[in-house]
Amino acid sequence: ERAGTIPAGGLIDMCFSGEYTKDELMKMLVGGGGLAGYLGTTDAVKVEKMIKEGDQKAALIYEAMAYQIAKEIG
């Protein structure tokens, strides 16, 4: 649900753009990122079901998330 590593410059631009409230930005960073932000769910079982049903976007997002986690572990 967290946004993970994001470019600092882009975040600063968003903070001072006047387009978002502090609460909206916090929701984007914590609770609205990750699988929830891309696929509308935080349930990995649902995501795997989406993939089995042929959802290519879900497969791409899931694999990218696994790749990012592996990079952090490494």
Side-chain angles (χ1 to χ4, degrees):
E1 294 180 24
R2 295 174 305 195
T5 304
I6 58 171
L11 177 60
I12 291 169
D13 289 342
M14 288 177 70
C15 290
F16 289 96
S17 71
E19 292 182 51
Y20 307 98
T21 67
K22 179 182 176 184
D23 289 339
E24 289 172 328
L25 288 167
M26 289 299 294
K27 183 66 177 172
M28 286 182 206
L29 294 174
V30 180
L35 292 177
Y38 288 107
L39 302 175
T41 184
T42 59
D43 187 337
V45 174
K46 287 182 182 178
V47 174
E48 289 180 6
K49 184 178 182 218
M50 293 165 71
I51 294 167
K52 285 180 185 175
E53 293 173 350
D55 187 329
Q56 294 298 313
K57 178 182 175 185
L60 178 66
I61 299 300
Y62 207 49
E63 288 178 26
M65 183 185 75
Y67 176 71
Q68 286 298 118
I69 292 169
K71 283 188 355 184
E72 290 297 320
I73 291 169

